[in-house]
DNA sequence: AAATGTCGTTCCAGATAATGGAACTTCACG
DNA sequence: CGTGAAGTTCCATTATCTGGAACGACATTT
């Protein structure tokens, strides 16, 4: 516990699980990540805590509404989180500023438009505009994906300076989601160098087979927040040519969002 | 700390703020509830904790990504919550089962359809289907409103037995959102008795001026979860007659959702 | 029906982390 | 430069969390 070289783990976030809160949030994460309600024993086998401790921790989370217990005594994520999150989303200034631009981009391209922000080495999708598909409508919002295999993520990474970039890449663990997924830091760096030259990024089935996109970076004026916009579509409908054609539009949208943010926040600092 | 008659507070939830987690969640709530980023001093004046303590608590929340600090050092709700909540939402079985029914109800009525679940004395909106309005699209999802002044809430309350109903109503604090808002337990009980007879509830501008709806209750087969569906529209377009006409459709949708849930979960218990 | 095993819950002395008063930085302003 | 307000760090004290073990509730087997 003196000099811990553990650093940052592979997901790009430092899951120190330190402190009471850290442990509880990690637990919350674990239950959230499961794809269904979990029985006490399931959670017990995943976490390396004694039964008594785990039980009390779960009870506390349930008491606060962060977890819920179904009629079979299984644990699942509680709705209280949805309430908290909806407020975080509704009051997010950046999202609000970007919204009309995303809408416009969608009107022109008729494909799905995403807005995502970079968090360590992950992209969190903040907003999405898509057509009348009715199903899975909200699915993407709030979703966190590795930055290295998404258009928005790579675009955002490209806006970092080399030092910062190196730090974040060092924390990565490259997992091959598809045939096209970048496989190591070298491939990522070379792609990022291209992205910097062009000003926009492509994702050709790197994260999900059959899905490709073109994305542009958004820098906040103080350089502290990085984000990206993308236009995404199915490979059978979206050709490299159309992606290429959309690129300037995406870049323009990203720039407009930057300008609007600057004007909104400008007077300060 | 022996016999505490504090019971349940006016919001219908028991905000005991007990234990480390309880205090932190209360803090989180406080920041979430504010309508903008909060400075350290603002939070300090609201919470009755010493500066040192508060500062450490905030730091922990920031470390876990539950809060964020903007460039001016002000605190706001973090995006990590969005990530956690999105999973809870995407994997919510009830929501998934209800979705097609909501869609169908929208197709017929061409007005906004809501799905909400009852939590203590609040309704949390789980899903929403609406037309091409593009703006404020997701705003309602996750939102928590008092049960006594929303259609979905009153419908859900009406499905409780008298004993349970009395308990929840006792915890209420009636706040007049509009001219039409029910003003006390008596008015609510009499409305609920009507709702029980008809099988559906109305909300005629009781929560928000110019907004009215018709709603029907959904009971889970084990009677443990209560929810409701509603069709909502602006008063200038939606007449009492149209609400009346939609009522059987809303009730039918609610019943279908109940049936689907029963079939899905049936084999057990 | 008794025996066995699994699963979940409760308890309490000991380890650990939270507490809060005070001292210490910044920083803005006159 | 002095003054005050806002924010941060420190550390002995104290409240809280920890985890082994014992207990209760079922289900399954013999």
């Amino acid at each position: 516990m003196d000099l811990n070289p553990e650093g940052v783990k592979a997901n790009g976030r430092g899951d120190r699980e330190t402190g009471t809160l850290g442990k509880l949030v990690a637990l919350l994460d674990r239950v959230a990540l499961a794809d269904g309600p979990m029985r006490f024993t399931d959670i017990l086998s995943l976490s390396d805590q004694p039964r008594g401790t785990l039980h009390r921790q779960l009870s506390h989370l349930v008491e606060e509404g962060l977890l819920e217990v179904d009629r079979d005594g299984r644990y699942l994520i509680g709705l209280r989180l949805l309430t908290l999150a909806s407020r975080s989303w509704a009051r997010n200034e950046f999202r609000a500023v970007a919204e009309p631009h995303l809408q416009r981009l969608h009107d022109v391209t008729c494909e799905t438009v995403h807005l995502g922000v970079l968090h360590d080495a992950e992209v969190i999708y903040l907003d999405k505009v898509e057509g009348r598909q009715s199903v899975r409508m909200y699915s993407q919002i709030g979703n966190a994906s590795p930055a290295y295999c998404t258009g928005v993520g790579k675009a955002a990474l490209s806006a970092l300076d080399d030092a910062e970039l190196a730090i974040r890449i060092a924390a990565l663990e490259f997992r091959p989601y598809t045939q096209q997924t970048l496989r190591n830091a070298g491939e990522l760096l070379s792609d990022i160098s291209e992205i910097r030259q062009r000003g926009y990024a492509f994702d050709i089935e790197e994260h999900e087979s059959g899905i490709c996109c073109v994305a542009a970076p958004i820098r906040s004026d103080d350089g502290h927040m990085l984000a990206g916009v993308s236009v995404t579509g199915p490979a059978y409908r979206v050709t490299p040519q159309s992606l290429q054609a959309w690129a300037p539009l995406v870049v323009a949208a990203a720039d407009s969002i930057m300008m609007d943010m600057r004007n909104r926040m400008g007077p300060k600092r």
Side-chain angles (χ1 to χ4, degrees), chain A:
Chain A
M1 236 203 240
D2 264 330
L3 48 125
N4 62 344
E6 69 182 76
V8 181
K9 289 227 200 96
N11 63 358
R13 277 187 269 112
D15 284 343
R16 295 158 309 283
E17 300 201 11
T18 179
T20 307
L21 179 64
K23 290 170 206 162
L24 289 176
V25 174
L27 190 51
L28 206 53
D29 237 350
R30 198 158 288 139
V31 177
L33 211 43
D35 37 30
M38 296 181 86
R39 285 197 331 234
F40 179 83
T41 320
D42 300 336
I43 307 176
L44 181 61
S45 65
L46 287 178
S47 75
D48 49 0
Q49 315 222 47
R51 285 209 299 289
T53 303
L54 181 64
H55 186 263
R56 186 178 23 73
Q57 289 173 334
L58 288 171
S59 304
H60 282 164
L61 289 170
V62 169
E63 245 174 56
E64 295 303 328
L66 303 180
L67 285 183
E68 284 172 18
V69 186
D70 71 7
R71 59 177 185 181
D72 303 323
R74 293 175 309 182
Y75 293 87
L76 37 84
I77 289 287
L79 287 182
R80 176 120 181 233
L81 282 167
L82 199 63
T83 303
L84 284 168
S86 78
R87 289 205 279 255
S88 110
W89 189 86
R91 304 233 167 92
N92 187 291
E93 191 177 9
F94 178 58
R95 192 215 94 251
V97 167
E99 192 174 275
H101 299 283
L102 307 183
Q103 190 64 53
R104 212 168 305 131
L105 199 50
H106 170 73
D107 291 345
V108 179
T109 60
C110 297
E111 292 291 348
T112 302
V113 174
H114 281 128
L115 174 72
V117 299
L118 189 67
H119 242 225
D120 298 316
E122 290 185 317
V123 168
I124 297 179
Y125 290 102
L126 247 193
D127 210 344
K128 176 183 196 176
V129 181
E130 62 186 341
R132 300 301 284 137
Q133 299 185 226
S134 79
V135 185
R136 303 261 100 212
M137 222 166 69
Y138 310 82
S139 64
Q140 197 74 234
I141 291 187
N143 191 33
S145 301
Y148 69 90
C149 61
T150 62
V152 168
K154 293 193 298 181
L157 285 177
S158 80
L160 287 168
D161 60 57
D162 288 326
E164 253 297 323
L165 187 58
I167 293 172
R168 307 228 190 174
I169 289 184
L172 284 178
E173 176 183 281
F174 288 81
R175 183 186 146 191
Y177 290 90
T178 72
Q179 297 279 330
Q180 319 304 324
T181 305
L182 299 178
R183 269 165 175 58
N184 52 57
E187 289 186 23
L188 177 55
L189 280 169
S190 106
D191 194 11
I192 284 178
S193 132
E194 287 181 43
I195 294 167
R196 282 175 173 161
Q197 281 171 28
R198 309 191 274 265
Y200 47 89
F202 291 114
D203 160 12
I204 312 295
E205 311 192 38
E206 290 169 34
H207 186 33
E208 200 173 332
S209 280
I211 302 292
C212 52
C213 83
V214 54
I218 303 176
R219 282 162 268 256
S220 71
D221 43 354
D222 59 353
H224 209 57
M225 193 204 63
L226 287 174
V229 220
S230 71
V231 173
T232 308
Y236 69 82
R237 184 169 53 196
V238 174
T239 63
Q241 286 75 38
S242 35
L243 287 182
Q244 190 63 251
W246 289 333
L249 302 174
V250 177
V251 171
D255 289 344
S256 306
I257 294 171
M258 269 190 265
M259 288 301 287
D260 278 13
M261 276 306 277
R262 196 153 312 179
N263 291 338
R264 173 86 77 111
M265 320 255 284
K268 296 171 188 173
R269 177 135 320 190

